[in-house]
Amino acid sequence: AVEANADCRPVDEIALFAFDEPIRPVFTFAESATLDADRRKAVARSRLKELQPTWGGTNLGQALVEAVGAV
């Protein structure tokens, strides 16, 4: 995720979702749209650094379905 964020171009939209049992937005497309490109990448990078693993189970398939829905 850190590399994908670093590779984003100024015209790219960024959103970040974390998931274990539920999927939860960490940095939304709406929030991203309010920032200039450099600030957008910095905020996404900062939010990534704040993420911590949990003991919750995961369902990657459901997380991907919900992430696609957000796009």
Side-chain angles (χ1 to χ4, degrees):
V2 171
E3 288 179 24
N5 182 55
D7 291 342
C8 284
R9 300 167 299 160
V11 297
D12 292 336
E13 295 182 32
I14 300 172
L16 176 63
F17 297 87
F19 72 98
D20 47 22
E21 294 294 334
I23 187 171
R24 56 195 180 283
V26 176
F27 185 54
T28 66
F29 285 116
E31 184 179 7
S32 174
T34 67
L35 304 171
D36 65 65
D38 290 333
R39 185 73 182 132
R40 185 179 316 129
K41 287 173 71 169
V43 170
R45 184 175 47 250
S46 173
R47 303 272 175 91
L48 279 168
K49 288 181 182 180
E50 294 172 1
L51 291 176
Q52 296 291 319
T54 70
W55 288 102
T58 61
N59 183 336
L60 178 59
Q62 185 60 38
L64 291 173
V65 168
E66 293 188 39
V68 167
V71 173

